[in-house]
Amino acid sequence: MLWTASQVMRKFSTSSVYYQNKLKLAIIGQSVFGQEVYSSLKKQGHKVVGVFTVPDKDGKADPLAVAAEKDGTPVFKFPRWRVKGNPIPEVVDTYKAVGADLNVMPFCSQFIPMNIIDHPKHGSIIYHPSILPLHRGASAINWTLIQGDRKAGFTVFWADDGLDTGPILLQRECAVEPNDTVDTLYNRFLFPEGIKAMVESVQLIADGKAPKVPQTEEGASYEGIQKKSNAKVNLSQPAEAIHNWIRGHDKVPGAWTLINGLPVTLYGSSMLGGSAPAGQALEIEGAPQPALVTKSGLVLYGSDGKALVVKNLQFDDGKMIPASKYFSSGDTSSVELTDEEKKMAEEIRNIWMGILSNVPAVEDTTDFFKCGAASMDVVRLVEEVKQKCAGVQLQNEDVYMATTFQDFIQMFVRKLRGEDQEEELVVDYATKEVNSMTLKMPHQCFINGKFEDAENGKSYNTINPTDGSVICKVSYASVGDVDRAVAAAKEAFDNGPWGRMNPRDRGSLLYKLADLMEEHQEELATIESIDSGAVYTLALKTHVGMSIQTFRYFAGWCDKIQGKTIPINQARPNRNLTFTKREPLGVCAIVIPWNYPLMMLAWKSAACLAAGNTLVLKPAQVTPLTALKFAEISVKAGIPKGVINILPGSGGMVGQRLSDHPDIRKLGFTGSTPIGKQIMKSCALSNLKKVSLELGGKSPLIIFSDCDMDKAVRMGMSSVFFNKGENCIAAGRLFVEESIHDEYINRVVEEIKKMKIGDPLDRSTDHGPQNHKAHLDKLLEYCEVGLKEGATLVYGGRQVDRPGFFMEPTVFTNVEDHMFIAKEESFGPVMVVSKFPDGDVDGVLRRANDTEYGLASGVFTRDINKAMHVSERLEAGTVFINTYNKTDVASPFGGFKQSGFGKDLGEDALLEYLKTKAVTVEY
């Protein structure tokens, strides 16, 4: 869950430190970036007196306007600020009336007059996505890549009457990776760090500490906006320059060249390491030598003889294809038959003739089933061929996968030669003696049925949170690895056995997969424990145990996916039949978090596979090991190659490429709300992928005075401290009726003191370490904020004095509705308690629903009428009554509002991975 972890960490780094000095701000700009800067500044306690943004487009407001209007902040939507170079008086007067101390311009596409820029006491600050004075102008990120800069970054500067020439307030920089694109740079660094920097800059101004460093003209550059007309690739230059040009134009406007006289846009460039794979030559205008269409994509050569690979091509009509599919005609995969094999083929032709007695002749293109063959004929064909050719391993399923005579012969000959046998899985294990066993852990990317290093050779350390030690190195997947994994998944879906497999057989494979997971459950639980910090007993029962249950549940659904018949009006004298079919979507991407690494994999993957899809899964960067062990087990279960692909690595690179990839039809994500929004945007802009999102939560738990106190204490603690509080449905806020509040808190604290904090592999441990160091630091900051705002720290709030990332279970009381800890999720062992007046049911419901989240909720009361009334009014996807955390594989799980949409588990989850086709027949 690196995306979620890093996003949460960023959130607290910009919102958890409260300062004394605050400003009245005018936000001038637009976009999601502007929205996030606005929200972060408000959380810091600054007063936004006005938001000035662009008018609605096609009836839809800009995200900044949406957020501000929701908060009740004054919003002004001026189409322009000046006419013929002169400020519009009415606009200027409206702006001045808000009385801002400072203009903050996170991203602004409008020209703002200087009398607006200079009007506030502190002037105006602007965000620019380059290290000024380099790359002044509107396409700074693009030119950073086009020029091949080794460093990227951004500048917050004081606006003046020049063009990005004002004094510098703050700058940040990052390394440019060899295959970075505009999107990966923006999402990895420029967006999240830029938000933090804008907030930091405002606070420096408020505190009187903001520098004004004049820009030097040495090294200054200005580049204009690129257009399609001047984005043609110059192929007569070194390969790296070509690569930089393509990736610098990767979204807009798109670098292009002429192939066979027609313009073709190139997307997804990466440098080719080593020799080029075999392929078919393709002449391209202006290229120093012919390109190659290979399985990896289109290989282009530079003037220096080095090469790059382009993954996707787009034609003038908008159609985009994998570059590897440029030559789509002709079957080059057939094998030449020997004379002996030709004789066998004729004998098999006679067997076909004997079965298909209604066919005058069996041609190469004759289709076994289109000629009327049934299931008994399949058995007969298989048995007759095996009788004629002793030793050949032939199964009924083989006939369904090779239905024409020529395909059947090709399949038969390959089996006869032994060419069809799967290669034995080679695993370079990382081994460790832990928990009285030898752990054997795969640590490489899993692509197309093989474990292999990342394309760029990079790796990273995965850390044991119990003591901070390195478990092993894990491959750090690149964009190229994503493209190869997606290509493998697409091939498996389009042409592999998985896509043609009988649903019942598919279910049998998933049952076998569940059985093998059960055989390996102790090993999986141990890996989960050392990689995520989960207490071993909980990992065994929940992390692994529920994963096994999930695969068994969805295995049973495989042959029960049904459509329906629909009566329609019949235009006489015609008769019509309409029916629907549920079909798989194709290649699906799954991005999972770090709190339940294996269980989140199971919740999404089991439904995805049961529906007949193939998948590419990105585990959280900090917890990749159980996912890779699962990949190994899937091979043993007989899941065909390419169906499951696992890519450890960063969300900003791997996750972003999955969101953008044109061959992925669905993305399922569990993580933070801000990243969920970014995923939705990327999925929409790329190819309108179907999306399901399980996002943040601040789940309310209401405890009435007529509850079963023993149960409410026990389950209330579980609602917060289960899995160290790293639980998406954790009760983020408890509302306790006033007459029992003090007793309830005393009972909770007594029970916390009995909890054993320690090694998660110790069977008597109740509370293990937090998942990773950054998360622990964020939780400690969260507690500091609670104290500074005036909440009462009853217990905990500190790191445990021992090695590792341990935190004390924590209890806050006297938490008021406006406080940060009342509104924001901790995702840790922090109980946030507010009291409510006796009998005020409607009042506590209003407070419980006063959140943008709606994942889960709970109520404890002996009054069933009250319980049902409260459950109907709570705005959450799950409501627990006199219990908590009771999820089941058959019950749908998902949230409302900004907790996302779509469901995991139950039949509803299956529908997330299916599409409905309507068929109408006239007869």
Side-chain angles (χ1 to χ4, degrees):
M1 189 172 164
L2 180 63
W3 283 2
T4 305
S6 59
Q7 188 67 26
V8 171
M9 183 173 70
R10 293 165 188 150
K11 176 168 65 177
F12 286 108
S13 64
T14 60
S15 60
S16 62
V17 182
Y18 277 66
Y19 298 86
Q20 183 178 2
N21 303 309
K22 301 299 171 190
L23 295 176
K24 292 188 293 183
L25 307 175
I27 309 295
I28 304 176
Q30 64 210 73
S31 78
V32 174
F33 183 71
Q35 174 195 347
E36 291 295 328
V37 170
Y38 160 82
S39 299
S40 298
L41 287 168
K42 281 197 59 123
K43 286 179 182 178
Q44 281 286 74
H46 296 285
K47 182 174 178 59
V48 179
V49 294
V51 165
F52 299 85
T53 187
V54 293
D56 297 355
K57 185 175 181 181
D58 299 326
K60 185 177 180 181
D62 183 81
L64 173 58
V66 172
E69 286 169 344
K70 186 169 186 180
D71 291 341
T73 302
V75 176
F76 307 92
K77 303 175 182 180
F78 300 139
R80 62 188 63 83
W81 292 70
R82 60 184 188 174
V83 174
K84 296 182 179 179
N86 297 314
I88 302 172
E90 297 84 357
V91 173
V92 173
D93 291 343
T94 302
Y95 161 78
K96 289 182 176 179
V98 302
D101 298 325
L102 174 71
N103 292 332
V104 179
M105 303 168 70
F107 170 73
C108 183
S109 61
Q110 296 177 311
F111 288 101
I112 310 301
M114 283 308 299
N115 60 339
I116 300 293
I117 295 291
D118 294 336
H119 179 75
K121 175 171 64 175
H122 296 293
S124 303
I125 59 169
I126 303 177
Y127 170 91
H128 185 77
S130 79
I131 308 171
L132 291 175
L134 192 63
H135 304 312
R136 294 167 176 163
S139 298
I141 312 175
N142 306 75
W143 284 101
T144 297
L145 296 173
I146 292 169
Q147 299 275 337
D149 295 352
R150 300 305 179 194
K151 290 182 180 179
F154 58 80
T155 303
V156 180
F157 68 97
W158 300 89
D160 67 356
D161 58 356
L163 189 62
D164 303 333
T165 56
I168 293 169
L169 192 160
L170 179 152
Q171 287 186 323
R172 298 281 186 270
E173 63 181 41
C174 70
V176 177
E177 298 292 334
N179 293 319
D180 261 334
T181 64
V182 171
D183 275 353
T184 60
L185 262 181
Y186 184 72
N187 291 305
R188 185 179 80 245
F189 185 79
L190 299 175
F191 178 85
E193 298 301 320
I195 295 166
K196 290 166 58 176
M198 289 298 283
V199 175
E200 182 181 345
S201 298
V202 170
Q203 196 57 56
L204 286 170
I205 295 169
D207 294 339
K209 299 177 181 178
K212 289 188 177 182
V213 180
Q215 286 193 43
T216 175
E217 288 304 306
E218 183 179 348
S221 65
Y222 174 84
E223 296 92 4
I225 298 174
Q226 283 295 92
K227 299 178 181 179
K228 194 73 174 180
S229 58
N230 58 12
K232 185 179 180 183
V233 187
N234 174 11
L235 296 173
S236 61
Q237 55 183 333
E240 187 174 357
I242 299 171
H243 164 62
N244 289 336
W245 185 266
I246 295 171
R247 65 176 176 153
H249 293 81
D250 204 57
K251 280 294 179 187
V252 178
W256 59 278
T257 188
L258 291 175
I259 302 178
N260 293 326
L262 299 174
V264 178
T265 306
L266 314 173
Y267 292 106
S269 171
S270 59
M271 292 300 294
L272 179 66
S275 57
Q280 189 171 350
L282 176 64
E283 293 289 341
I284 297 182
E285 181 182 296
Q289 66 184 85
L292 286 177
V293 176
T294 74
K295 287 184 178 180
S296 301
L298 179 67
V299 176
L300 297 172
Y301 291 93
S303 58
D304 56 356
K306 295 181 180 178
L308 60 139
V309 183
V310 172
K311 297 299 181 184
N312 297 299
L313 306 176
Q314 188 173 37
F315 301 99
D316 252 8
D317 60 3
K319 180 183 178 183
M320 183 178 286
I321 64 167
S324 59
K325 304 293 184 184
Y326 183 81
F327 296 114
S328 57
S329 61
D331 179 12
T332 60
S333 62
S334 60
V335 296
E336 286 289 329
L337 273 59
T338 64
D339 291 341
E340 186 63 32
E341 289 165 346
K342 289 177 182 177
K343 290 179 183 178
M344 290 183 183
E346 289 308 310
E347 291 180 4
I348 293 173
R349 192 188 299 271
N350 291 332
I351 294 173
W352 276 53
M353 283 291 297
I355 297 171
L356 304 176
S357 56
N358 58 321
V359 177
V362 172
E363 308 291 345
D364 285 353
T365 56
T366 299
D367 189 289
F368 194 66
F369 295 103
K370 288 180 180 179
C371 293
S375 57
M376 280 304 300
D377 298 315
V378 172
V379 177
R380 177 182 167 185
L381 174 61
V382 169
E383 294 306 315
E384 284 199 46
V385 171
K386 286 164 68 175
Q387 189 176 36
K388 278 279 185 186
C389 310
V392 68
Q393 298 297 314
L394 199 63
Q395 299 177 355
N396 295 351
E397 194 64 38
D398 295 323
V399 183
Y400 292 104
M401 295 179 190
T403 60
T404 66
F405 181 74
Q406 63 183 358
D407 289 343
F408 185 86
I409 291 300
Q410 289 286 314
M411 175 271 299
F412 168 79
V413 170
R414 287 193 175 98
K415 283 185 173 290
L416 199 64
R417 297 177 180 179
E419 294 176 2
D420 69 314
Q421 295 177 4
E422 292 287 336
E423 296 179 29
E424 183 178 349
L425 182 66
V426 177
V427 187
D428 178 25
Y429 293 111
T431 59
K432 210 169 189 66
E433 296 293 329
V434 182
N435 203 21
S436 302
M437 67 178 74
T438 302
L439 294 181
K440 299 172 70 176
M441 298 172 288
H443 58 92
Q444 299 164 293
C445 300
F446 184 71
I447 301 174
N448 204 25
K450 297 179 180 179
F451 285 106
E452 51 191 56
D453 290 336
E455 188 176 71
N456 56 17
K458 289 188 176 181
S459 63
Y460 68 97
N461 294 329
T462 187
I463 304 298
N464 185 341
T466 302
D467 57 11
S469 63
V470 175
I471 301 171
C472 64
K473 286 192 174 294
V474 177
S475 292
Y476 189 80
S478 67
V479 170
D481 295 314
V482 176
D483 291 337
R484 290 190 300 116
V486 173
K490 190 172 190 302
E491 177 66 19
F493 182 81
D494 291 341
N495 303 312
W498 188 254
R500 299 192 297 270
M501 189 176 292
N502 181 295
R504 198 162 295 168
D505 293 338
R506 188 164 67 240
S508 296
L509 287 180
L510 294 184
Y511 276 122
K512 186 176 180 182
L513 177 57
D515 290 344
L516 285 170
M517 290 173 70
E518 191 167 47
E519 287 182 25
H520 290 266
Q521 62 182 332
E522 288 86 2
E523 186 177 16
L524 286 166
T526 303
I527 296 172
E528 192 92 334
S529 187
I530 66 170
D531 204 25
S532 76
V535 171
Y536 176 76
T537 50
L538 179 66
L540 196 60
K541 178 183 181 295
T542 301
H543 289 235
V544 178
M546 194 173 187
S547 300
I548 295 166
Q549 292 175 27
T550 303
F551 273 100
R552 285 190 175 136
Y553 172 80
F554 283 107
W557 267 108
C558 289
D559 61 355
K560 300 172 186 67
I561 298 171
Q562 301 174 354
K564 55 188 175 182
T565 58
I566 304 170
I568 63 170
N569 290 335
Q570 299 185 358
R572 295 175 182 173
N574 295 332
R575 300 179 59 167
N576 300 280
L577 168 67
T578 293
F579 62 91
T580 61
K581 300 171 64 180
R582 300 279 195 184
E583 298 180 345
L585 299 169
V587 181
C588 298
I590 293 173
V591 180
I592 57 173
W594 43 257
N595 56 328
Y596 295 103
L598 185 63
M599 193 171 78
M600 292 296 100
L601 175 152
W603 280 21
K604 296 187 187 299
S605 299
C608 175
L609 295 171
N613 302 287
T614 58
L615 65 87
V616 180
L617 181 140
K618 193 201 87 65
Q621 183 172 344
V622 291
T623 54
L625 296 180
T626 43
L628 294 171
K629 190 67 180 180
F630 168 82
E632 179 193 359
I633 293 171
S634 75
V635 175
K636 294 179 180 178
I639 305 294
K641 68 178 184 179
V643 173
I644 294 172
N645 303 272
I646 310 287
L647 298 176
S650 75
M653 185 179 296
V654 176
Q656 185 61 49
R657 180 57 181 156
L658 290 172
S659 300
D660 292 336
H661 204 291
D663 288 335
I664 291 174
R665 295 298 168 191
K666 159 72 193 276
L667 192 148
F669 171 74
T670 296
S672 75
T673 297
I675 294 299
K677 291 178 180 179
Q678 183 63 36
I679 284 174
M680 276 191 71
K681 179 182 177 182
S682 297
C683 288
L685 290 175
S686 54
N687 62 341
L688 280 178
K689 293 175 182 66
K690 187 175 182 179
V691 180
S692 57
L693 304 171
E694 195 257 278
L695 306 176
K698 188 67 175 174
S699 301
L701 175 58
I702 303 172
I703 301 173
F704 288 99
S705 59
D706 62 353
C707 68
D708 177 336
M709 180 63 81
D710 290 341
K711 189 173 186 181
V713 169
R714 185 176 69 255
M715 299 303 296
M717 290 182 63
S718 174
S719 75
V720 176
F721 303 129
F722 188 81
N723 199 46
K724 312 160 289 171
E726 296 168 353
N727 187 19
C728 49
I729 58 171
R733 191 174 182 194
L734 275 66
F735 295 92
V736 182
E737 202 158 10
E738 192 164 11
S739 58
I740 64 166
H741 175 274
D742 292 349
E743 179 190 355
Y744 185 85
I745 296 301
N746 290 335
R747 294 272 300 272
V748 166
V749 171
E750 288 174 11
E751 293 301 315
I752 290 176
K753 291 176 179 177
K754 299 174 186 177
M755 292 173 65
K756 179 179 178 180
I757 302 173
D759 184 351
L761 293 175
D762 184 333
R763 300 330 190 243
S764 63
T765 294
D766 298 302
H767 189 80
Q770 304 309 135
N771 187 277
H772 50 281
K773 179 65 164 57
H775 183 53
L776 173 63
D777 292 342
K778 182 266 298 184
L779 289 171
L780 296 173
E781 290 185 31
Y782 185 92
C783 293
E784 289 176 14
V785 174
L787 280 170
K788 288 179 181 179
E789 288 190 311
T792 302
L793 179 62
V794 176
Y795 192 89
R798 297 168 300 184
Q799 183 174 357
V800 178
D801 186 18
R802 58 169 292 158
F805 311 140
F806 292 85
M807 181 176 178
E808 295 175 337
T810 299
V811 180
F812 278 102
T813 61
N814 297 320
V815 177
E816 298 178 17
D817 294 354
H818 69 274
M819 291 181 178
F820 180 80
I821 64 172
K823 294 178 175 293
E824 296 297 330
E825 180 182 28
S826 71
F827 213 67
V830 182
M831 181 178 283
V832 176
V833 186
S834 301
K835 66 177 70 171
F836 66 96
D838 289 356
D840 188 11
V841 176
D842 290 338
V844 74
L845 277 168
R846 280 193 299 273
R847 296 171 71 190
N849 287 329
D850 186 21
T851 172
E852 273 302 299
Y853 301 113
L855 190 55
S857 59
V859 55
F860 279 83
T861 175
R862 285 190 171 95
D863 184 340
I864 189 62
N865 291 323
K866 185 193 296 181
M868 296 307 294
H869 170 72
V870 170
S871 72
E872 289 173 3
R873 294 276 303 277
L874 284 168
E875 298 169 359
T878 298
V879 180
F880 298 108
I881 299 177
N882 294 328
T883 187
Y884 209 89
N885 285 326
K886 189 166 284 187
T887 54
D888 186 86
V889 293
S891 176
F893 180 96
F896 300 160
K897 300 190 284 189
Q898 291 200 48
S899 287
F901 51 82
K903 299 293 182 183
D904 291 325
L905 305 180
E907 182 180 3
D908 292 55
L910 196 67
L911 301 180
E912 296 289 338
Y913 293 93
L914 292 165
K915 59 189 177 186
T916 301
K917 178 184 288 182
V919 180
T920 298
V921 183
E922 181 180 298
Y923 61 97

